[in-house]
């Protein structure tokens, strides 16, 4: 569907043809009237002047000649008029048909669209989604490089580069916000929606332009002319540190699985194994980077180093997610009794208001809240592993109609659940970005924005958006879980499949895929 903003109004040949036909009919009618009119105005009983007898014969002869001339003229002139009108109408019709068949404007019949016409909304939507994913991936990769640079050189030389990346992140945040409004149906008109999609693409392009402006400076800082030897040492140190943390994370995860219900630990259940996979991939790439650096091949050394750094960074995210969840679940477990007490107080106040006739709270909502609190209370005393985050979420949602915007323990409970959901979604997107699309990233960006605003009224929305983001991201991975075979040279490499899934290296394009656009920036493993 072409945007009305750019769509040409079609010129229709129908009305013009009708006018030509009407002209022809009118001409025929005039000709017929012309033929019939003389017969209607003359007859056998027409009065004749009395003249002298001597000239009677000559008069009759003259009258017969005049009558013949008049009859011939009356017959020929209408026929000429009809023929002229018909010829004009026929010429106009033929000319009109030829113009319609040869028309190349968007409104013409039978002609292709003009080269400058706007593409359909579906095409613009695909471009906007692709731009969001590319810009988000580049922001994440830049932040990883900055973290390594700061470890190597300290904060002072990195500060201006980090500021530029933060500005690029601000542009991307605006693009995600625009996308969120678009997904909600704002604006509604096709022309305005096309304009919004173009704005999203523009913001993403500005994001990448800002990243490009500091890319050379960051590369010179991290990989000087004498090679990436120092940066390689930093990455190897970080690799050894994380390798030593794997066993501790396994112990923490085992404890979580024993203490809590499966739903409480579902988001991190495979984190340790995935971290091991990333570290195995990093081992291979670090060895290749060291060999290339020792032989003086700085370019290949830097390429292998970037891939190794990305894998180590994702391993850190996976292991850190286990430790963070352990802390938040413990906090949630400690908060559940207080949240129950606060919720019961809110329900008691709501019942009192209802009895006094000062509240319009539905009786059914109170009954539902009572059932939810009773269920949570039973789970606490059942002696079985429970899901404290899930308990808090149920308490908050059941009592939300009775305590909107109030302080106390319930907003604190909502903050805990929002942090757990947002952290899980963020970790999943970061470590599976080779498969996660724009929809999941858009909801995650909005959840993080609401959480950063620290408005208690937005915590429920942040929690919901983060849960949606995680669900969509997992769906993307199930659908495109293996984006494609590993690139040439890594097909048999340990951990290559996980590296492709994590977006560390691109998948190998299919044999029948179109050639790569030469203007596309190379990946970290190019």
């Amino acid at each position: 569907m072409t945007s009305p903003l750019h769509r040409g109004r079609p010129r229709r040949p129908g009305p013009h043809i009708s006018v030509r036909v009407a002209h022809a009919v009118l001409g025929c009618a005039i000709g017929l009237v012309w033929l019939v009119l003389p017969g209607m105005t003359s007859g056998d009983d027409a009065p004749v002047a009395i003249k002298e007898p001597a000239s009677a014969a000559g008069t009759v002869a003259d009258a017969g000649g005049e009558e013949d001339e008049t009859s011939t003229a009356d017959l020929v002139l209408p026929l000429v008029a009809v023929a002229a009108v018909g010829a004009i109408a026929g010429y106009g019709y033929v000319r009109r048909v030829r113009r319609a068949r040869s028309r190349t404007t968007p409104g013409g019949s039978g002609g292709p669209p003009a080269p400058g016409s706007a593409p359909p909304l579906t095409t613009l939507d695909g471009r906007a989604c692709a731009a969001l994913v590319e810009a988000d991936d580049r922001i994440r990769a830049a932040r990883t490089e900055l973290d390594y640079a700061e470890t190597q050189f300290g904060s002072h030389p990195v500060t201006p580069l980090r500021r530029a990346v933060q500005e690029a992140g601000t542009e991307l945040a605006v693009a995600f916000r625009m996308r969120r409004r678009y997904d909600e149906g704002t604006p509604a008109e096709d022309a305005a929606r096309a304009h919004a999609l173009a704005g999203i693409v523009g913001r993403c392009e500005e994001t990448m332009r800002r990243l490009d402006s500091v890319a050379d400076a960051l590369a010179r800082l991290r990989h000087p002319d004498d090679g990436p030897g120092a940066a390689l040492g930093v990455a190897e140190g970080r690799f050894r540190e994380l390798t030593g943390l794997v066993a501790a994370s396994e112990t923490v995860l085992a404890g979580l699985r024993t203490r809590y219900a499966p739903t409480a630990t579902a988001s991190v259940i495979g984190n340790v194994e995935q971290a091991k996979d990333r570290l195995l991939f990093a081992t291979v790439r670090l060895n290749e980077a060291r060999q290339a650096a020792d032989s003086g091949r700085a370019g290949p050394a830097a390429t292998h180093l970037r891939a190794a750094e990305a894998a180590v960074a994702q391993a850190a995210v996976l292991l850190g997610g286990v430790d963070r969840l352990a802390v938040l679940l413990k906090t949630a477990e400690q908060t559940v009794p207080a949240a129950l007490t606060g919720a019961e107080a809110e329900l008691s106040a709501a019942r009192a208001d209802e009895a006094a006739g000062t509240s319009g709270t539905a009786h059914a909502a109170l009954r539902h809240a009572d059932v939810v609190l009773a269920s949570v209370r039973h789970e606490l005393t059942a002696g079985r592993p429970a899901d404290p985050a899930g308990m808090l979420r149920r308490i908050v949602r059941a009592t939300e109609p009775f305590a909107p915007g109030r302080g106390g323990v319930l907003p604190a409970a909502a903050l805990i659940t929002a942090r757990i959901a947002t952290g899980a979604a963020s970790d999943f997107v970061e470590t599976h970005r080779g498969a996660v699309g724009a929809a999941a990233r858009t909801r995650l960006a909005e959840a993080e924005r609401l959480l950063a605003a620290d408005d208690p009224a937005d915590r429920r929305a942040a929690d919901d958006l983060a849960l949606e983001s995680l669900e969509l991201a997992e769906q993307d991975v199930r659908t495109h879980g293996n984006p494609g075979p590993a690139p040439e040279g890594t097909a048999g490499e340990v951990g290559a499949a996980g590296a492709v899934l994590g977006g560390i290296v691109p998948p190998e394009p299919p044999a029948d895929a179109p050639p790569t656009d030469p203007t596309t920036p190379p990946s970290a493993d190019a």
Side-chain angles (χ1 to χ4, degrees):
M1 179 171 53
T2 305
S3 168
L5 188 64
H6 303 285
R7 187 187 303 154
R9 184 181 298 276
R11 298 179 60 188
R12 300 177 183 176
H16 299 276
I17 296 173
S18 300
V19 171
R20 305 294 183 185
V21 173
H23 287 171
V25 172
L26 181 60
C28 292
I30 293 173
L32 289 174
V33 171
W34 201 339
L35 287 172
V36 174
L37 186 59
M40 294 176 62
T41 59
S42 63
D44 295 339
D45 55 349
V48 180
I50 300 174
K51 296 187 180 181
E52 295 182 2
S55 60
T59 302
V60 171
D62 293 340
E66 290 176 3
E67 184 176 350
D68 291 340
E69 286 184 25
T70 303
S71 299
T72 303
D74 289 343
L75 177 62
V76 172
L77 290 178
L79 292 177
V80 171
V82 170
V85 172
I88 294 172
Y91 172 77
Y93 174 78
V94 171
R95 185 169 178 267
R96 180 65 189 171
V97 170
R98 287 178 178 175
R99 289 179 59 191
R101 288 178 178 173
S102 61
R103 185 183 301 276
T104 58
T105 58
S109 58
S117 60
L121 275 181
T122 52
T123 301
L124 293 174
D125 187 35
R127 292 176 185 171
C129 289
L132 284 169
V133 170
E134 182 183 1
D136 190 41
D137 283 347
R138 290 194 60 184
I139 284 283
R140 293 173 184 273
R143 288 170 178 165
T144 297
E145 284 214 62
L146 286 175
D147 291 341
Y148 279 105
E150 189 166 340
T151 301
Q152 182 178 352
F153 300 104
S155 60
H156 180 69
V158 177
T159 297
L161 302 177
R162 192 175 291 279
R163 186 182 302 116
V165 173
Q166 288 173 347
E167 292 172 354
T170 300
E171 290 288 335
L172 181 60
V174 174
F176 273 125
R177 183 70 180 133
M178 293 170 66
R179 180 70 207 195
R180 177 60 184 166
R181 289 196 297 268
Y182 182 91
D183 290 341
E184 291 174 340
T186 304
E189 298 80 8
D190 284 352
R193 289 177 74 78
H195 184 73
L197 291 173
I200 292 170
V201 173
R203 292 283 185 174
C204 292
E205 290 175 347
E206 177 62 17
T207 297
M208 291 184 278
R209 187 194 67 78
R210 291 177 181 269
L211 293 176
D212 290 339
S213 67
V214 297
D216 290 341
L218 181 57
R220 285 193 301 269
L221 176 65
R222 300 211 57 227
H223 309 302
D225 294 337
D226 57 351
L232 183 56
V234 172
E236 289 171 338
R238 182 62 174 151
F239 168 81
R240 288 190 292 269
E241 179 185 351
L242 286 175
T243 302
L245 294 176
V246 169
S249 294
E250 285 180 324
T251 301
V252 171
L253 182 58
L256 293 177
R257 296 179 65 179
T258 301
R259 185 177 185 85
Y260 301 111
T263 54
T265 60
S267 63
V268 299
I269 199 66
N271 277 30
V272 174
E273 292 305 316
Q274 292 181 59
K276 291 179 180 179
D277 188 68
R278 300 296 194 279
L279 291 174
L280 287 173
F281 177 81
T283 301
V284 176
R285 287 308 177 98
L286 286 172
N287 289 336
E288 292 175 341
R290 175 61 67 184
Q291 293 172 6
D294 291 344
S295 61
R297 295 180 291 118
T303 298
H304 293 310
L305 176 59
R306 281 195 298 269
E309 287 173 340
V312 171
Q314 289 192 10
V317 170
L318 292 163
L319 297 179
V322 175
D323 295 335
R324 183 188 64 248
L325 182 63
V327 173
L328 288 174
L329 284 178
K330 186 173 182 63
T331 303
E333 186 178 16
Q334 295 170 345
T335 307
V336 169
L340 271 175
T341 302
E344 289 167 349
E346 294 292 348
L347 294 186
S348 298
R351 289 191 191 93
D353 292 341
E354 187 179 35
T358 61
S359 173
T361 303
H363 183 69
L366 282 170
R367 291 285 304 273
H368 172 71
D370 285 334
V371 171
V372 170
L373 297 186
S375 174
V376 171
R377 209 176 294 110
H378 173 73
E379 289 181 26
L380 276 179
T381 59
R384 294 190 299 269
D387 180 359
M391 290 180 179
L392 288 182
R393 187 172 287 115
R394 287 153 58 195
I395 293 171
V396 168
R397 296 184 179 185
T399 57
E400 188 176 30
F402 316 110
R406 298 185 189 177
V409 67
L410 293 179
L415 180 60
I416 294 171
T417 60
R419 283 177 173 170
I420 291 176
T422 304
S426 178
D427 290 353
F428 192 90
V429 171
E430 174 66 33
T431 56
H432 298 79
R433 62 178 190 245
V436 176
R441 299 177 192 235
T442 299
R443 285 160 178 76
L444 173 59
E446 183 67 6
E448 291 175 336
R449 185 187 72 83
L450 294 176
L451 200 57
D454 199 25
D455 185 350
D458 292 334
R459 289 171 183 171
R460 162 71 187 274
D463 186 35
D464 289 342
L465 285 166
L467 292 174
E468 290 179 18
S469 172
L470 181 59
E471 181 179 358
L472 289 170
E474 290 174 341
Q475 180 179 332
D476 287 341
V477 170
R478 286 193 297 270
T479 304
H480 310 287
N482 186 4
E488 187 176 356
T490 64
E493 187 175 336
V494 176
V500 171
L501 186 60
I504 298 170
V505 294
E508 181 74 10
D512 57 349
T516 303
D517 185 353
T519 63
T520 303
S523 68
D525 198 52

